[in-house]
Amino acid sequence: MDTNTLSLSLLPTLGILSYEKPTLTCYASRSRNHFLKSFSSINLNLTFNFRTPQAILNPSPITPTADGPTLREICQPHVPHHVLQRMEEIGYVMPTDVQRQGLPYLFSGRDCILHAQTGSGKTLTYLLLIHSIIDTEKSCVQALVLVPTRELGMQVTKVARALAAKPTGVNGEQKLCTTMALLDGGTLKRHKSWLKAEPPTIVVATVGSLCQMLERHMFSLETVRVMIVDEVDCIFNSSKQVSSLRKILTSYSSCNNRQTVFASASIPQHKRFLHDSVQQKWTKRDVVHIHVSPVEPMPSRLYHRFIICDTRRKLQTLLSLIQSDTPESGIIFVGEQSEKSKKAGNAPSTSLVIEFLKTSYQGSLDILLLEDKMNFNSRAASLLEVKKGGGYLLVATDIAARGVDLPEMSHIYNFDLPRTAIDYLHRAGRTCRKPFSDINCTVTSIIVPDERFVLQRYENELMFNCEELAS
């Protein structure tokens, strides 16, 4: 097992819970004394009640409660009282694993990589950090949250504004934190006017929109004290966004003048990423990697299956599955087009699937498209159709579907097998999320013979069983 990993794995066949102590890897600067260096790899027992950063390096004999410390107990010395009230009012009382492990480090001022499953509480974790740092009496942008897609940005903004609202029954003229969404499809002039008139405390931005503002000198990162990069792996894997993100991290700002937090459910080769973060000066040298593995990687109400066919038969196989399944609604995942395929002048898989279904599918479901290269209006139109209700088949790429929850779907089809196990988890995670839905969902992968061993690897890594369908 990787020593940087907290493994909480459910072994259903044995009916037991395998639980290992988490190992958090820290990069200590050479200027730190020998004592700190000796803690470059710290094993922490989760039964400790962590209240302060000092308690992490010098564990005191704190007697834990039955369920461990509450979120309020962890945050009380750092987060304003009215924010804690609002947090509990919304329903956040007990911390998740990533909050329990990450918040003490974040409150101590350390740069962090929060590496935990979708739905594990990373968003609330970094928003609580932001509220521990910002000063609402200062009229300037103090916190920046970068996201890969507009849809994810809208969700983060919604949570940020809900957390910053005045709690019920609280009177007074205390200035509240304001959040601006600087997302693709917005009006830059309107944002410029807002920034000039009364700067928001927090800006949630897509990489492209932020870079436009920076390049036109409409916005500066000089006053930003904390920078969050959410779904960091998604941005680094995007050829359109990665160079802009590097500029934001190193040219437009310095890691020495801010606290930096990277968050993601998946960070491939995370040891290498940790090394690069320090070497490329995206983070300070003492960055901490907090890796929380899920107890139950895959929602239990998902039924997994696969069918093997020849590449030339994949479209017809997809159609046959849809006709026999008669889904209430479904999403069809296709792979991103490679640069080699683009240069060869080939049509992307999304276009091939959409055109085939529109000419061959005779059912009642609407055929919709959601891909990264679509402009804002087209993406918004597709999502609006989905949210109206009624049946649909949404053809989507992985990047475009990040941040989009579709709890009422009954079927997911992997027309192209995802590149990694985590990508498989992300696709399956678009639906079947409690408490939003009680619908059982079927995930079907259409694979060629050579891909069977890849799918088996995903089954082993994510601990699920996939049933073969007769072709």
Side-chain angles (χ1 to χ4, degrees), residues 124-396:
L124 181 63
T125 304
Y126 64 66
L127 287 175
L128 289 170
L129 166 68
I130 287 172
H131 280 285
S132 75
I133 290 176
I134 59 177
D135 181 355
T136 54
E137 296 302 318
K138 292 184 178 179
S139 185
C140 61
V141 178
Q142 299 172 59
L144 173 66
V145 182
L146 287 169
V147 292
T149 66
R150 176 183 176 84
E151 290 72 34
L152 180 58
M154 291 168 68
Q155 290 193 39
V156 172
T157 301
K158 184 177 180 180
V159 177
R161 287 175 177 166
L163 191 63
K166 186 177 290 187
T168 303
V170 173
N171 299 316
E173 297 299 321
Q174 182 172 0
K175 188 176 179 182
L176 297 176
C177 166
T178 55
T179 302
M180 181 176 81
L182 180 59
L183 307 173
D184 296 339
T187 307
L188 295 185
K189 285 186 178 180
R190 181 172 61 84
H191 289 120
K192 182 182 179 182
S193 301
W194 183 356
L195 287 163
K196 189 175 181 180
E198 188 176 354
T201 316
I202 303 171
V203 171
V204 179
T206 46
V207 173
S209 290
L210 179 66
C211 274
Q212 284 187 58
M213 295 286 282
L214 292 169
E215 288 165 3
R216 298 178 189 183
H217 305 288
M218 296 180 179
F219 185 57
S220 169
L221 301 182
E222 289 180 4
T223 58
V224 170
R225 298 179 60 194
V226 56
M227 183 185 296
I228 315 294
V229 185
D230 206 348
E231 300 283 14
V232 64
D233 67 310
C234 185
I235 300 178
F236 271 103
N237 285 333
S238 170
S239 56
K240 289 170 58 179
Q241 300 184 71
V242 63
S243 60
S244 297
L245 177 60
R246 289 174 184 269
K247 284 183 182 179
I248 292 167
L249 291 171
T250 56
S251 299
Y252 291 113
S253 65
S254 168
C255 66
N256 295 321
N257 300 327
R258 64 170 193 260
Q259 185 173 355
T260 307
V261 179
F262 293 145
S264 183
S266 55
I267 302 179
Q269 297 181 317
H270 56 259
K271 285 186 179 181
R272 177 69 187 180
F273 182 77
L274 206 63
H275 175 269
D276 289 346
S277 295
V278 173
Q279 293 300 312
Q280 300 295 327
K281 298 185 177 178
W282 303 330
T283 65
K284 300 182 189 73
R285 293 188 63 83
D286 60 351
V287 60
V288 182
H289 178 217
I290 297 168
H291 190 183
V292 180
S293 295
V295 175
E296 200 172 359
M298 198 67 68
S300 59
R301 287 170 292 116
L302 285 174
Y303 166 54
H304 304 266
R305 60 187 191 174
F306 69 94
I307 186 167
I308 300 175
C309 69
D310 185 83
T311 304
R312 293 168 295 180
R313 295 279 304 163
K314 286 183 73 174
L315 286 168
Q316 189 59 51
T317 301
L318 173 65
L319 179 62
S320 298
L321 286 167
I322 293 170
Q323 289 172 334
S324 61
D325 292 340
T326 60
E328 295 176 26
S329 286
I331 186 167
I332 302 163
F333 278 104
V334 298
E336 298 284 340
Q337 188 180 20
S338 67
E339 290 300 320
K340 183 178 179 181
S341 176
K342 288 178 185 177
K343 289 178 181 178
N346 299 326
S349 295
T350 47
S351 299
L352 294 174
V353 172
I354 282 283
E355 290 170 10
F356 176 79
L357 289 177
K358 285 186 174 179
T359 56
S360 305
Y361 173 67
Q362 303 298 321
S364 61
L365 302 180
D366 292 328
I367 310 297
L368 304 172
L369 175 64
L370 186 68
E371 60 180 345
D372 190 42
K373 69 179 183 180
M374 291 169 66
N375 63 38
F376 160 69
N377 290 331
S378 299
R379 285 167 64 93
S382 288
L383 290 173
L384 183 62
E385 287 297 317
V386 168
K387 290 174 183 177
K388 280 181 181 177
Y392 60 86
L393 285 172
L394 183 65
V395 179

